[in-house]
Amino acid sequence: MKNIVSFGVLFSIFATGSVMAADPVTLGPRPFYLVADMDSGPLKEKLEACFSNSPKKSTFSIGHRGASLQFPEHTKESYVAAAQMGAGIIECDVTFTKDKQLVCRHSQNDLHTTTDVLAYPKLAEKCTVPFTPANPQTGEKATAECRTSDFTLDEFRQLKGKMDGANPMATTPEEYMKGTADFRTDLYASRGTLMTHAESIALLKSLGVKMTPELKEPKVPMPYNGFTQRDYAQKMIDEYKEAGVKALDVYPQSFNTDDVDYWVANEPEFGQQSVYLDSRMYDDESWKSSLKDMKALKESGVGYISPPLYALVTVDEKGNIAPSDYAKHAKAAGLGIITWTLERSGHLGNGGGWYYQSVKDVINNDGDVMTLLDVLAQDVGVVGVFSDWPATTTFYANCMGLE
């Protein structure tokens, strides 16, 4: 196999947190395991023929929170792992601290499940909702809510990232923090170096990858101590400009169309690559896509639209995975399409879970990941796929000649 990287290179990467663009990409066994698990057919044969290829970086492969299937999300270690697996674009979800400093977290109020904050009593008592133990007699679950805005940046830096999860029946903070899903691992969770947004930019720049920051919804009322939503949206872009990152290397994301509109109007070089994260299909189950609506988004300046996997596919009359009406409308309107999140559902023997809900009747084994990925790339025409384990998308992209 040609996808082997030396121990010395890996040690250097994790010790220094940087990697030169010429350093080799390594995929590990998972893509090959998934191909082996596929149903027999032409696609499986084509992918098997690529086993000896030398892997390389691809912007089709987007590291979702880094490589969060196995590494604590939004940590230095997770980002480095994603780059080493060939992710050409890596995500920092952006939120802010009590002193209005931008940091990488999936949500402003997830520190109780993604960090070890509850291990520090003096910090834990500052949480919006301090830890309350479960009551085994009544069945009442444990609760906690710790926000980045509960802490200054200096306090935030004291924390370590852990695998996202919590034990709802915990009676102690230590038990509560032990909630890693059984298809993930704590093997790489001992370091979990948290990062500011600016630090992530410097790291990802050194890794030679492009960047896709997501402006997260604040969980505190805005304006926050004079910090408006527009200030927030602008500060995120300013940190790329201050770091000398080219606008073409940044894909700013938001579920809030007002943020996208702001970037289009006020930072057009960045705004032309803006990504509208579309949640309408699950916010309102009666909502239906239309070509008129997609054209309106395109005309407003949206560069890319990004819904969950299931919104882009359906099962056709022959029982095959096929593009949905949503996918057809977005493509006809000339929108770039990105989707999320591959490798986030654990084992697929049960239909794949939430991300696969529109095609669950034809999902029955882990190898179906590759079948879905092929439909997304070849029939829907997505230009990028977020994945919790970028090696999978990198392998597919390399095999199919996707840059």
Side-chain angles (χ1 to χ4, degrees):
M1 302 296 290
K2 298 181 182 179
N3 63 325
I4 303 299
V5 62
S6 72
F7 174 81
V9 170
L10 279 175
F11 179 82
S12 174
I13 290 167
F14 281 99
T16 65
S18 63
V19 57
M20 300 303 293
D23 281 337
V25 171
T26 181
L27 300 180
R30 183 155 179 79
F32 311 101
Y33 168 84
L34 292 173
V35 173
D37 196 48
M38 292 176 67
D39 297 334
S40 298
L43 177 59
K44 180 174 183 176
E45 292 173 5
K46 180 163 185 164
L47 294 172
E48 286 175 334
C50 294
F51 280 2
S52 62
N53 290 0
S54 296
K56 60 182 181 179
K57 179 173 61 181
S58 171
T59 56
F60 181 83
S61 179
I62 306 174
H64 182 242
R65 315 183 200 180
S68 53
L69 179 65
Q70 303 291 313
F71 289 81
E73 62 187 49
H74 293 308
T75 60
K76 168 184 164 182
E77 292 76 18
S78 188
Y79 293 153
V80 170
Q84 193 61 34
M85 285 186 259
I89 305 173
I90 296 177
E91 176 188 49
C92 165
D93 289 327
V94 180
T95 187
F96 56 86
T97 60
K98 186 175 184 177
D99 45 354
K100 295 177 279 191
Q101 300 302 303
L102 302 186
V103 295
C104 298
R105 287 289 91 201
H106 178 63
S107 174
Q108 190 170 46
N109 65 336
D110 73 2
L111 294 184
H112 52 290
T113 65
T114 65
T115 76
D116 62 350
V117 62
L118 296 181
Y120 305 93
K122 289 185 178 180
L123 293 178
E125 66 185 14
K126 297 184 178 184
C127 291
T128 296
V129 179
F131 173 74
T132 301
N135 187 325
Q137 282 69 44
T138 65
E140 188 174 358
K141 295 181 179 179
T143 58
E145 182 184 351
C146 303
R147 301 175 176 177
T148 57
S149 53
D150 291 334
F151 307 102
T152 65
L153 179 58
D154 285 345
E155 291 169 331
F156 176 83
R157 290 186 186 280
Q158 297 177 41
L159 308 179
K160 293 292 184 184
K162 72 176 190 67
M163 297 302 288
D164 186 16
N167 176 4
M169 299 313 297
T171 58
T172 67
E174 292 74 20
E175 289 178 351
Y176 186 81
M177 290 187 288
K178 295 178 181 179
T180 302
D182 60 8
F183 61 87
R184 297 192 177 116
T185 180
D186 288 317
L187 186 63
Y188 304 109
S190 62
R191 296 169 79 168
T193 308
L194 302 191
M195 306 205 79
T196 68
H197 178 235
E199 288 168 346
S200 80
I201 294 171
L203 174 64
L204 299 181
K205 191 175 179 182
S206 77
L207 292 168
V209 300
K210 297 187 177 185
M211 308 165 205
T212 184
E214 180 189 338
L215 196 72
K216 301 303 296 190
E217 177 188 6
K219 299 302 181 182
V220 293
M222 298 291 278
Y224 175 73
N225 295 335
F227 191 52
T228 68
Q229 184 69 25
R230 289 192 167 198
D231 292 337
Y232 181 28
Q234 185 62 53
K235 185 176 178 68
M236 188 182 86
I237 299 300
D238 285 345
E239 293 196 346
Y240 289 94
K241 294 164 72 173
E242 291 164 5
V245 177
K246 296 183 294 184
L248 289 177
D249 288 340
V250 182
Y251 300 85
Q253 313 170 70
S254 181
F255 282 99
N256 184 346
T257 54
D258 289 343
D259 295 334
V260 175
D261 291 343
Y262 176 82
W263 293 323
V264 170
N266 296 278
E267 291 287 352
E269 289 187 336
F270 289 88
Q272 68 179 336
Q273 300 216 132
S274 59
V275 180
Y276 170 44
L277 297 164
D278 195 356
S279 64
R280 293 174 294 176
M281 69 291 303
Y282 59 86
D283 289 338
D284 178 2
E285 292 185 1
S286 67
W287 179 83
K288 302 292 183 185
S289 71
S290 70
L291 180 56
K292 180 180 179 181
D293 169 69
M294 294 295 184
K295 285 183 175 179
L297 286 172
K298 178 69 175 178
E299 290 168 2
S300 73
V302 172
Y304 299 89
I305 195 165
S306 184
L309 296 171
Y310 76 83
L312 294 172
V313 289
T314 188
V315 178
D316 65 18
E317 63 279 0
K318 296 181 180 179
N320 297 317
I321 300 175
S324 65
D325 288 341
Y326 179 108
K328 294 173 184 176
H329 294 150
K331 187 174 183 178
L335 288 164
I337 307 172
I338 299 169
T339 191
W340 41 274
T341 303
L342 211 71
E343 299 278 52
R344 194 158 183 83
S345 299
H347 300 297
L348 304 188
N350 61 353
W354 188 86
Y355 290 95
Y356 295 78
Q357 59 189 272
S358 63
V359 292
K360 63 181 181 180
D361 291 341
V362 296
I363 299 293
N364 56 32
N365 60 287
D366 290 350
D368 286 334
V369 165
M370 290 299 188
T371 303
L372 174 61
L373 193 53
D374 190 60
V375 172
L376 290 169
Q378 306 302 327
D379 300 329
V380 173
V382 302
V383 297
V385 176
F386 282 92
S387 176
D388 280 11
W389 200 244
T392 299
T393 42
T394 300
F395 170 78
Y396 176 85
N398 288 175
C399 187
M400 299 298 174
L402 304 176
E403 296 299 325

